[in-house]
Amino acid sequence: MLFYAVKGGKEGEVRGVDMARKIVVTSGKGGVGKTTIAVHLAAQLAQKGQRVILCDADFGLNNVDVATGVENLITYDLVDVIEGRCRAKQALIRHPNYPTLYVLTSSKATAERYVSPQAVKVVLDGLSPQFDFILIDCPAGIDDGFHRAVATADEAIVVTTPCLSALRDGDKVITALKSYRLSGLFLVVNMARGDLQLSGESLSPQEIEELLRVPLLGVLPDSGILRKGELSQIHTSFKMMANYLIYGRKKLYDPAKKYRGFLGNLRRVLKARL
């Protein structure tokens, strides 16, 4: 049974529901950190004791297994479940470092093989009562793979960066998502540069939130932390995002904080000269 806070409640003030929250993680374009964010957020939720499935619904690039480090543990995948070669539980890979995190891969599926949204939904709905969260990694863009992934979810997280092309594509994805009956729609801004925000060279996460008209779930700095690919090095922002999803406590990482004040201005000047 999933437990989460009543709106406005404190950590520990929880109520139960019967099904996992199925959240698709998507983006308008590739290269904005969508899969990496899905992986790290899933790990942080699991670290907080939530029972989590991370489902790879990107049948074209399918690299969640590599991103989580379980590529050598695969016996069955999502297509094996759909085509009746195994039960859904047999395809779940328990992460060796996070006992309540399970990965459902699509690594054996070929791009040519058709997988219907209804088939994926049946699998995830069947697993849902035994878990708290199901995060669904979605292909970038708004092609058929996007619609297949979104059709299985109840909520969505859109990942973007302050780059103009990413914002334009993110807006198109948000428009497409609003045609579905989702109970929640969130925004994560990745690669945020606090120094550029203060100099007026980049939009702030709050300005992006206002522009795209979607509430912020989290903000990640352009620090290179995520590019290391280590689940053990989880940024503070993921803890904030997990607390928001579990307890309803919204707190956002401020990438501009260290560039404010006298020392902050000095850091900003020195960084601009590099």
Side-chain angles (χ1 to χ4, degrees), residues 62 64-66 68-78 80 90-93 103-108:
N62 49 57
V64 164
D65 57 327
V66 176
T68 52
V70 301
E71 67 272 19
N72 294 325
L73 303 178
I74 300 171
T75 302
Y76 298 108
D77 63 24
L78 180 55
D80 289 321
Q90 291 177 290
L92 294 178
I93 303 168
V103 181
L104 181 57
T105 73
S106 62
S107 60
K108 293 181 184 177

Side-chain angles (χ1 to χ4, degrees), residues 107-137:
S107 60
K108 293 181 184 177
T110 62
E112 294 79 17
R113 178 178 285 159
Y114 176 73
V115 180
S116 72
Q118 294 81 7
V120 178
K121 182 174 174 57
V122 166
V123 174
L124 297 185
D125 284 352
L127 292 166
S128 182
Q130 302 157 61
F131 289 87
D132 302 315
F133 287 90
I134 299 177
L135 298 188
I136 304 156
D137 185 45

Side-chain angles (χ1 to χ4, degrees), residues 162-174:
C163 171
L164 179 58
S165 61
L167 293 175
R168 283 180 174 175
D169 290 342
D171 186 52
K172 293 174 185 175
V173 164
I174 290 166

